[in-house]
Amino acid sequence: MTNTQYAAHTNSTRRRWLQALASTPLVPTLTAPALAEGATKTKAHIVIAGSGLGGIAVANRLSKLLDGAKITIIDRKEEHNYQPGYTLVASGVWPVSKVRDSNADFLPAGIEWVKDMVASFDPVANTVSTVGGQRIRYDFLVVGIGVYLDYTQITGMDVSAIGREGLTSVYPSPEAAQATWATMQAFAAKGGNAVMTLPSTPLKCAGAPLKMTFMLRDRLFKAGTLGISKIRFESALGNVFGVKAVNDNVLGRWRDLGIDVDFSRKLTAIDIGARRATFASPDGQTQEMPYDFIHVVPPTRAPDAVKNSELAWKDGPFATGGWLEVDKRTLQHRRFPNVFGIGDINGTPRGKTAATVKKSAPLVAHNLVEVIAGRVANENFDGYTSCPLITREGSAMLIEFDYEGNLTPTLPMIEPLQDSFFAWLMKVRMLKPAYISVLKGRV
C-alpha cells in the first residue's frame, strides 16, 4: 500500500459509516440480560474484593437484586481509571483526563466501602484480611482484584523511568500512558529503530501491544519519518494474537506495512541508559538489541493475595500464574461454592478485557443470587471477549470472539477482520459511555 493509498483509505468509506451509525441501533453491543423484577430477601454478607469495573458492576447489580443484604467492597483506590482508554492516551488521541473518574461516583448507596487493600484470603474460614490489619468475615465472596504487572521479571526495568530514554509502556497508569505519548511524539519527530514487545504470560488486553504498534507506524507516517525508521515486534510466543484468524490478519497487514516480527523471543533485560534490550530464545541463546523507542509489555500474574491462597489453581495451565480457580462457564469457584470471580483475575482460557466484564457481570450477579437462594448457578458464560483493534487513526477492526476462538460478530454491518471508520468511532466515542453503563449496573 502506497502512502497516498494509506492516507486515503479511511476517507473513502467515512461517509458510508456515518450514515450506518445514524440508522443502526447498538442493542447487540450495549445490552445485557434484564435485572430480576423481585429482589431476593437475605441477610447475607457479601464481600467484593476490588473496585475495578467488575467489582463495582457486580456491586451495583447485587444492590438491586438483593433485599436486606450487607455488601462490602474492599479497595483503597479512590480514582477510577478507564483502562481501555490508555492506548488512546498513549497514542495521542485522547487527553489523559478522559480516563480519570472517581470511584465514589459509581458505588451504590448503602454499600460499605473499606478503603484498604486485600492482603490475604482464607476461604476455609470465610475471611479476608487487609493490609491495615482488618479481618473481615463473609458469607459470600466476589474476587475482582485484577492482575499484577510483573515488571520485575525484566532485569533493569524501572516503571518510574517510563517516558525517558525512549522507554514506554501503556499498562501501569494514566501517567505512564501520557508519558508514552510524549515519548512517541519525540521519536516520530526524528525516526529511528523501534522495538515492540509481547510476553508469554496471559495478558491484560491482548490487543494493546498490537494497537500501539499500528499507531506508532501511523505517527511515523504522519510525521514524515517512516522512511528513516524501522519497527520490530518481538513476541515471546509463536504468534501475536491468540485467535488464529486475527493473528494471520495482523501479520499480513504488518508484512504490507513493513513491520518485522520475531517469534519466541522474550524480553529478559533492559539497559535504560544505554537504550539496549536483551531477548532470550527457548534454546537459551540471548540477543541484545539497540533501540531508540521501546514499548515494554509486562508479564502478568495473579496478585499475591490470590496466588498464595487456597483460591488459586493448584495444577493445570493456570497454576503457574496463580489465577483464581473458577469454572469457566459459571465463574463460580470450583472448590469453594460461595466464591465467584469477575474480570482479569479469573483463570479462564480468555477474558482479560472490559468487554468480558460487560457480559459476565450480569451472569456473576445472577449466579450468586441463585446460590444465596439455595439453588445452583445456572447461567453459563461463553468467554465473550471484544477487542476494538486500532489499525491507524480513523480506522479499527471490531474483533469479537469466544473461549474457543470463534469470531462472534454482533453488528451485521461490520466485517470482523475489515477495518472501518465505524469501528474506530465506536472505540473513540461510544465504548466509554457503554462502560459507564456497565459500571452502574444499567446494562
Side-chain angles (χ1 to χ4, degrees):
M1 181 182 292
T2 67
N3 284 351
T4 300
Q5 291 171 325
Y6 181 78
H9 185 82
T10 297
N11 292 334
S12 66
T13 57
R14 186 180 301 265
R15 185 182 302 275
R16 177 167 58 89
W17 285 115
L18 281 170
Q19 291 171 344
L21 174 62
S23 61
T24 303
L26 294 178
V27 174
T29 39
L30 302 186
T31 61
L35 293 174
E37 290 184 4
T40 299
K41 293 185 180 297
T42 180
K43 295 297 184 183
H45 182 200
I46 300 135
V47 168
I48 299 172
S51 66
L53 175 61
I56 294 181
V58 170
N60 273 298
R61 285 185 164 270
L62 291 177
S63 70
K64 299 179 180 76
L65 293 170
L66 298 174
D67 179 7
K70 178 181 178 182
I71 301 174
T72 299
I73 196 162
I74 305 173
D75 198 332
R76 71 166 168 241
K77 187 173 182 181
E78 299 192 38
E79 181 173 282
H80 189 91
N81 298 132
Y82 177 63
Q83 295 182 37
Y86 284 7
T87 51
L88 296 176
V89 173
S91 56
V93 179
W94 274 9
V96 71
S97 59
K98 290 199 72 169
V99 299
R100 285 180 163 146
D101 292 288
S102 172
N103 266 342
D105 293 339
F106 305 119
L107 293 176
I111 198 171
E112 179 188 25
W113 183 7
V114 176
K115 295 182 182 181
D116 202 345
M117 298 299 288
V118 174
S120 63
F121 295 98
D122 185 347
V124 176
N126 291 329
T127 58
V128 176
S129 297
T130 71
V131 171
Q134 298 183 69
R135 187 173 171 84
I136 301 169
R137 182 173 174 79
Y138 60 81
D139 298 306
F140 299 91
L141 173 68
V142 178
V143 182
I145 61 173
V147 302
Y148 178 73
L149 305 176
D150 199 359
Y151 285 99
T152 61
Q153 290 191 35
I154 304 167
T155 301
M157 179 61 190
D158 180 2
V159 173
S160 68
I162 292 171
R164 303 199 303 269
E165 301 293 345
L167 177 65
T168 72
S169 184
V170 74
Y171 282 85
S173 64
E175 293 81 8
Q178 188 175 35
T180 292
W181 168 232
T183 302
M184 185 182 290
Q185 283 182 291
F187 172 70
K190 296 180 179 180
N193 293 318
V195 177
M196 316 300 283
T197 69
L198 182 70
S200 61
T201 62
L203 191 60
K204 182 183 187 70
C205 187
L210 312 187
K211 297 174 194 178
M212 292 300 294
T213 303
F214 276 118
M215 286 301 287
L216 177 64
R217 196 270 183 196
D218 191 53
R219 293 310 183 194
L220 288 167
F221 169 75
K222 286 182 168 59
T225 54
L226 185 59
I228 57 172
S229 301
K230 190 67 180 175
I231 303 175
R232 300 195 68 87
F233 191 94
E234 300 292 325
S235 171
L237 301 167
N239 56 53
V240 298
F241 200 82
V243 176
K244 186 179 187 306
V246 179
N247 177 75
D248 294 348
N249 183 287
V250 170
L251 290 177
R253 289 171 181 270
W254 284 356
R255 279 193 297 271
D256 293 341
L257 295 174
I259 297 170
D260 293 334
V261 182
D262 293 315
F263 299 105
S264 301
R265 298 216 298 201
K266 176 183 177 181
L267 177 64
T268 58
I270 187 167
D271 185 331
I272 297 171
R275 298 195 180 197
R276 186 172 297 274
T278 302
F279 293 87
S281 301
D283 59 6
Q285 294 186 359
T286 61
Q287 178 179 349
E288 289 191 348
M289 188 175 298
Y291 62 82
D292 301 298
F293 177 100
I294 188 169
H295 183 249
V296 176
V297 180
T300 63
R301 61 171 175 83
D304 288 341
V306 167
K307 191 175 189 292
N308 299 330
S309 77
E310 284 301 309
L311 293 175
W313 282 91
K314 302 307 176 187
D315 51 44
F318 304 114
T320 301
W323 304 104
L324 188 72
E325 184 183 347
V326 295
D327 180 278
K328 71 176 186 177
R329 298 296 179 188
T330 63
L331 303 184
Q332 183 179 25
H333 200 278
R334 286 158 44 95
R335 289 176 286 114
F336 300 98
N338 63 334
V339 177
F340 285 81
I342 185 72
D344 299 347
I345 188 62
N346 285 341
T348 54
R350 304 186 195 276
K352 299 192 189 313
T353 70
T356 302
V357 174
K358 172 215 173 247
K359 189 166 182 179
S360 60
L363 179 144
V364 168
H366 168 86
N367 282 346
L368 177 54
V369 171
E370 290 296 290
V371 173
I372 289 173
R375 299 184 290 268
V376 297
N378 58 16
E379 283 194 0
N380 290 326
F381 182 49
D382 63 1
Y384 175 82
T385 303
S386 173
C387 177
L389 186 54
I390 297 169
T391 56
R392 61 186 169 276
E393 188 169 20
S395 195
M397 294 187 287
L398 181 59
I399 309 296
E400 300 168 279
F401 50 93
D402 61 16
Y403 276 141
E404 283 67 47
N406 301 312
L407 296 179
T408 58
T410 58
L411 289 175
M413 82 280 288
I414 292 186
E415 287 290 333
L417 300 178
Q418 178 60 56
D419 51 343
S420 69
F421 175 67
F422 182 59
W424 164 267
L425 201 61
M426 286 189 64
K427 170 64 177 174
V428 175
R429 297 286 182 86
M430 303 175 196
L431 293 187
K432 185 175 181 184
Y435 175 102
I436 298 299
S437 293
V438 173
L439 198 62
K440 294 181 177 180
R442 292 174 179 171
V443 296

